[in-house]
Amino acid sequence: MATQAEEDYIKAIFKITERNQGSASTNAIAEHLSTSAASVTDMIKRLAQKEYFNYERYKGVSLTPKGLNLATKLIRKHRLWETFLVENLNFSWDEVHDIAEQLEHVKSESLVNRLDDYLGNPKYDPHGDPIPNAEGKFTIRTQFSLMSMNKGEEGVIVGVKEHDKPFLQYLDRLGINLGTKIKVKNFIDFDHSREVIIDEENSTILSHKVCNNIYVKKNQFI
Amino acid sequence: MATQAEEDYIKAIFKITERNQGSASTNAIAEHLSTSAASVTDMIKRLAQKEYFNYERYKGVSLTPKGLNLATKLIRKHRLWETFLVENLNFSWDEVHDIAEQLEHVKSESLVNRLDDYLGNPKYDPHGDPIPNAEGKFTIRTQFSLMSMNKGEEGVIVGVKEHDKPFLQYLDRLGINLGTKIKVKNFIDFDHSREVIIDEENSTILSHKVCNNIYVKKNQFI
DNA sequence: TTAAAATTTTAGACGTGTCTAAAAATATTT
DNA sequence: AAATATTTTTAGACACGTCTAAAATTTTAA
């Protein structure tokens, strides 16, 4: 049974290799976990011995099937708890990360499966991220960054890339949530920002960085 | 912020001093936590320094107000989570202890308070134990052990002393739960067991030990 | 292609929480 | 009150997870 620290490493490597396919570098892991590269090397060696990682000196690490399996379970738990916190306990989407980070380490297969049922087997969490089912499979939705939309196009917000608290609070203030309708009104070439219309009402400017962090589903009618 | 291990010690001392008022002995703590007396001494010294305990060599330990405050919070969390597991996720009362033991270490004031509200601010958990409120106060009910009832008397089950899994499962098989009506039909003097009538239907024999572990409220009409 | 920069690993140390074996203190018996 | 038994503490060790400083390796730049 993996310790909490071990689980944190496994999740970190999952998150890192999720995007830049391949292997996670020592430095990337250290940054992700706010620890030193030396600690990461130590830990990696232990976990490689426990067969969670493929590891070769100076070459970074990737998850073995065993590691991937555990990572998926952790992601499942994390996202189900986030859903519970938002849907049932009325937390807002920027408050749930740290609590779910603790709850995901609670060990009980039946707990997570009953929670899943209690929530109605949701497919996406409050940030729009897919929730793996009990077999570890999850639904991938065709989604695009808001940046990739053309002038005049319309879409619905389905997720965010960063779960950074101030970022989510900023979106809240703009009235942007999952399910919010959004239309690109204008490109501002100078700084690559966009003028958008939110829910067919307010017009506002979203920076290049913000647009890159918002996922939309195009041409969807509610 | 107390670690998980520290919290376990604080709760153990609370539980021990709850009954035999006064102080908890090193050995009692060791047994409660399934560890060695030497480890307990080590740990006690650290925690006394952190002002959770009053401690004097060879004299046992008791909780300071600071320690009592933390213990009460842990009890509150434990019992609220047990209630959630039974009421919302349909666990039975013998399955919830180990899971709640993990959940009680999750640190978030707002989580526990929102959970409390979500559950409708329950006063008692699924074992009939009182749940401290946000201020640490809890309702003590006038309750008696089943053993103290006279022949012919009637009462309602309001709690159990031991939370031992096989014991709770045994009660389940007999149809005994919180709220179950029970009437003492006969004393069996030979072994101090009792013949009782459960919910005005089945008659059965309960041993001296079992009767001592069941709490009833007498003369209560539903 | 060699030097400089960045990354990664090793070495050695530390705090937490645990252990066993032995010593010290307390409690119980006789 | 002395001997014995029990409880508690100390001493010394170890695994986990962390750290800093220095060495080794790889990558980048000149």
Side-chain angles (χ1 to χ4, degrees), chain A residues 51-54 62-72:
Chain A
E51 298 185 321
Y52 288 112
F53 301 154
N54 303 117
S62 62
L63 293 172
T64 61
K66 180 180 169 186
L68 186 63
N69 184 267
L70 179 49
T72 309

Side-chain angles (χ1 to χ4, degrees), chain B residues 115-134:
Chain B
L115 181 65
D116 193 9
D117 289 343
Y118 184 67
L119 298 171
N121 309 109
K123 298 238 181 312
Y124 300 96
D125 78 7
H127 303 105
D129 295 318
I131 301 175
N133 67 13

Side-chain angles (χ1 to χ4, degrees), chain B residues 131-148:
Chain B
I131 301 175
N133 67 13
E135 284 73 43
K137 308 267 178 230
F138 47 87
T139 315
I140 294 167
R141 179 165 39 195
T142 50
Q143 60 186 19
F144 308 87
S145 110
L146 181 46
M147 209 55 205
S148 70

